[in-house]
Amino acid sequence: MSHYQVVKGARDIFPDEMVQWKYVEEVVSRLAVTYGFSEIRTPVFEYTELFQRSIGASTDIVGKEMFSFQPDPGGRSITLRPEMTAGVMRAVLQKNLLAASPVQKLYYISELFRKERPQAGRQRQFSQFGAELLGASSPAAVAEVIIFMMHVFESLGLKGLRLRINTLGNRDDRQKYREALRAYLAPSFDRLDEASRERFEKNPLRILDSKNPEMQDIVAGAPKLRDYLSSDAVDDFEKVLAYLSGRGIDFQIDHLLVRGLDYYSYTAFEVTSSELGAQDALGGGGRYDSLALELGSPSEVPAAGFAVGMERLLIAMQKQGLFQQQAPEGPSVFVVVQQPEHFDRAFEIAGKLRRSGISTVIDLARRSMKAQLREANRMHAASALFVGGDELASGLYALKNLVSSSQETFSLDGVVTFLQQQTPVNGNLR
Ligand code: HAM
C-alpha cells in the first residue's frame, strides 16, 4: 500500500484549480469591502462546548459530525470547527468589539471540518466564504447580508440559483408551534423514519425538511409555522422581503425551510444550485439573535449572516464554463542555459531578473536546450532568454518572444528595462 493517499473526504487543490479559487476569493474580498465587511480569521479549533451551545446538541453536526479530541489528559475537549458563525461570535464577545463599535461586519474564507459521509460536493474538510453582521438585526441588516451574497453570485456570472426564504418567528412562536407539531405527528409516530423519531422530542421542526418522500407526505398536512407567528415576526419578514424585491432579487417563500443549525430565529434562507445534484445547497444563513446569550453573554447581540460552500460554488461555476479566462499565468521569462557549464552564471542572471521584479524560471533539472524550450512553452512563459558562452563574453543576450517568435538583443540591463515595461512588477522584492 502506498503511503501517499489523501485522507478520505479531503482533497488537494493543484495550481490549475488554485487559479480558480484565487479568482473567486478576489471577487468575494472585493465585494466584501464594497459592502463594508472586514476580514476575520479565527482558530481552526475551539472548545467543544462552543459548538454544542451554539449549533445545538440535537443537530446532526453536533450529534455525529464533529471531529473532537482531548489534547491534554483530563483536559477540555476541543473540536475542529464545523462552521464559522460560533467562532466569530466568540471572538467578538471575548474581545468586546461591540463596545468599540456597535455594529461589526466581518467576513471570512475558511476551512471547516464535518465527519460526513463523503460524496460529490460533500467533504470532511471543506471551505466556506461567509459574512457575519453583529450588533444589528433590523430587516435592513438581514437584507444586506443576503444582497451581498447574491451580488457575489451575480458578479461571478452564476445562473440557475434558487433563493428560498422563511421566517422561523421568535422563540415563543416556535415553542407554541413545536407543541402543535408534536400533537399532529404523535398519532403517526410509528410511521416516522429513524431520523424523524430522534427529532420528534428534541427538534420536531427538522422533520419538516426531511428529504424522505414518506416523511414529506406525513408532513404535508401538518400545522403550518406561519399560522403561529407573532405579528412582529410577520412584519419583520415582510420588510426583509421588500428590501430584496427592491433590489430585484428573486426568491421563493418556503414555509418548510428550517435549516440544520439551532441558532436561527426570524429570517432563515438557503440558496440551491441546479448544477449540484443531491448536495444542492450552495449556501445558507439567517438571523441568530440569541446565540450570544447561549454563549453566556449578559445581553442579546442581534446578528445575521450566511456562508457559501466554496467547493460547491466552484463545481457550479465549472459546470457553467465560467472559468475559461482563468488560465494559469506563466512566468515573464524562461532562462535557457545553452551549455551546462554556464548554469551557475545563468542562475545569477535569473536572480538579478527576479530582484527586478520579473517572474523568472530556470530549468533546475538541467535538461537539454530543446527540453528547456519545450518546458518554457508548456508553462506559457512569455519569453526565453538565451545564456551561453558568447552571450556571457559579449554581455549581449537574445530575448525571444515565445508568442510572436520575434527576437531582440539586449544588454542585461536592457533586458530588465524591456521586461519591466512588458509586465507588471511583482512588488519591490529587493
Ligand atoms: P450550513 O448550511 O451548515 O451553514 O453551511 C453552508 C454551506 O457550506 C452549505 O450550503 C454548503 O455549500 C457548505 N457545506 C456544508 N457542509 C459541507 C460539506 N460537508 N462539504 C462541502 N460543503 C459543505 C453554516 O455553516 C452557517 N454557519 C451559515 C451561517 C452563517 N449562518 C449564519 N451565519
Side-chain angles (χ1 to χ4, degrees), residues 61 65 82-86 108 112-114 116 121-128 130-132 259-261 263-264 269-271 276 279-288 304-313:
I61 298 179
E65 295 172 1
E83 61 107 51
M84 287 296 290
T85 311
Y108 48 81
L112 296 312
F113 305 85
R114 294 185 192 177
E116 296 194 79
R122 192 163 74 187
Q123 297 172 205
R124 290 184 160 181
Q125 178 179 333
F126 62 99
S127 308
Q128 290 178 344
E132 312 294 347
R259 308 246 326 121
L261 302 99
Y263 48 59
Y264 295 112
F269 54 90
E270 207 156 86
V271 178
L276 290 175
Q279 301 303 318
D280 67 349
L282 185 59
R287 187 168 148 182
Y288 53 91
F306 73 85
V308 170
M310 287 288 284
E311 288 79 5
R312 292 184 193 180
L313 178 60

Side-chain angles (χ1 to χ4, degrees), residues 28-50:
V28 167
S29 304
R30 181 169 48 76
L31 279 173
V33 171
T34 308
Y35 279 80
F37 288 85
S38 308
E39 189 166 10
I40 186 167
R41 292 189 191 177
T42 62
V44 156
F45 41 41
E46 299 275 358
Y47 288 120
T48 302
E49 307 93 79
L50 177 75

Side-chain angles (χ1 to χ4, degrees), residues 184-306:
Y184 167 84
L185 291 170
S188 318
F189 189 82
D190 292 343
R191 289 168 58 211
L192 296 181
D193 61 17
E194 203 185 313
S196 301
R197 282 183 198 186
E198 270 175 34
R199 287 167 176 166
F200 181 84
E201 266 315 316
K202 292 188 209 148
N203 194 358
L205 267 71
R206 289 279 286 140
I207 302 176
L208 297 178
D209 64 4
S210 165
K211 296 222 163 109
N212 178 344
E214 283 176 47
M215 296 306 105
Q216 289 172 350
D217 283 349
I218 295 175
V219 158
K224 307 277 181 266
L225 175 58
R226 61 171 176 254
D227 297 325
Y228 290 78
L229 295 173
S230 52
S231 59
D232 156 49
V234 173
D235 289 352
D236 174 272
F237 193 47
E238 278 170 3
K239 286 195 190 117
V240 174
L241 300 182
Y243 282 121
L244 298 182
S245 301
R247 175 61 174 70
I249 290 177
D250 283 334
F251 55 81
Q252 285 167 7
I253 298 171
D254 179 351
H255 291 291
L256 296 181
L257 178 80
V258 179
R259 308 246 326 121
L261 302 99
D262 278 355
Y263 48 59
Y264 295 112
S265 54
Y266 295 94
T267 308
F269 54 90
E270 207 156 86
V271 178
T272 51
S273 159
S274 52
E275 305 289 356
L276 290 175
Q279 301 303 318
D280 67 349
L282 185 59
R287 187 168 148 182
Y288 53 91
D289 296 355
S290 53
L291 174 57
L293 287 179
E294 295 294 335
L295 300 183
S297 158
S299 52
E300 204 169 68
V301 172
F306 73 85

Side-chain angles (χ1 to χ4, degrees), residues 147-416:
I147 291 169
F148 167 37
M149 175 182 76
M150 297 306 284
H151 198 157
V152 172
F153 297 141
E154 191 189 315
S155 291
L156 294 171
L158 202 57
K159 303 264 169 9
L161 300 179
R162 198 157 76 113
L163 171 65
R164 288 176 305 129
I165 188 163
N166 191 17
T167 179
L168 304 173
N170 61 35
R171 214 188 267 247
D172 289 345
D173 300 343
R174 278 197 305 285
Q175 188 51 38
K176 284 192 210 118
Y177 177 60
R178 237 179 250 126
E179 281 159 24
L181 191 58
R182 275 198 206 100
Y184 167 84
L185 291 170
S188 318
F189 189 82
D190 292 343
R191 289 168 58 211
L192 296 181
D193 61 17
E194 203 185 313
S196 301
R197 282 183 198 186
E198 270 175 34
R199 287 167 176 166
F200 181 84
E201 266 315 316
K202 292 188 209 148
N203 194 358
L205 267 71
R206 289 279 286 140
I207 302 176
L208 297 178
D209 64 4
S210 165
K211 296 222 163 109
N212 178 344
E214 283 176 47
M215 296 306 105
Q216 289 172 350
D217 283 349
I218 295 175
V219 158
K224 307 277 181 266
L225 175 58
R226 61 171 176 254
D227 297 325
Y228 290 78
L229 295 173
S230 52
S231 59
D232 156 49
V234 173
D235 289 352
D236 174 272
F237 193 47
E238 278 170 3
K239 286 195 190 117
V240 174
L241 300 182
Y243 282 121
L244 298 182
S245 301
R247 175 61 174 70
I249 290 177
D250 283 334
F251 55 81
Q252 285 167 7
I253 298 171
D254 179 351
H255 291 291
L256 296 181
L257 178 80
V258 179
R259 308 246 326 121
L261 302 99
D262 278 355
Y263 48 59
Y264 295 112
S265 54
Y266 295 94
T267 308
F269 54 90
E270 207 156 86
V271 178
T272 51
S273 159
S274 52
E275 305 289 356
L276 290 175
Q279 301 303 318
D280 67 349
L282 185 59
R287 187 168 148 182
Y288 53 91
D289 296 355
S290 53
L291 174 57
L293 287 179
E294 295 294 335
L295 300 183
S297 158
S299 52
E300 204 169 68
V301 172
F306 73 85
V308 170
M310 287 288 284
E311 288 79 5
R312 292 184 193 180
L313 178 60
L314 267 97
I315 293 171
M317 289 182 64
Q318 285 159 357
K319 288 206 172 148
Q320 293 187 357
L322 296 173
F323 283 123
Q324 269 142 14
Q325 301 87 351
Q326 272 81 45
E329 210 175 296
S332 300
V333 60
F334 195 106
V335 175
V336 177
V337 187
Q338 299 190 49
Q339 293 92 22
E341 65 267 30
H342 297 128
F343 178 84
D344 286 353
R345 292 288 303 281
F347 190 71
E348 274 171 31
I349 290 171
K352 179 180 163 73
L353 295 175
R354 287 167 176 164
R355 282 194 303 281
S356 308
I358 295 162
S359 63
T360 307
V361 170
I362 182 166
D363 183 33
L364 297 172
R366 305 177 98 155
R367 285 169 290 184
S368 70
M369 240 178 85
K370 203 169 142 204
Q372 291 178 60
L373 280 167
R374 214 185 304 121
E375 181 67 11
N377 282 315
R378 195 197 58 77
M379 45 176 33
H380 303 292
S383 59
L385 181 74
F386 293 88
V387 178
D390 293 348
E391 286 80 2
L392 290 167
S394 67
L396 291 175
Y397 298 84
L399 184 72
K400 182 175 178 184
N401 182 317
L402 292 175
V403 181
S404 67
S405 291
S406 64
Q407 193 161 310
E408 282 186 72
T409 305
F410 295 101
S411 69
L412 206 49
D413 288 340
V415 170
V416 169

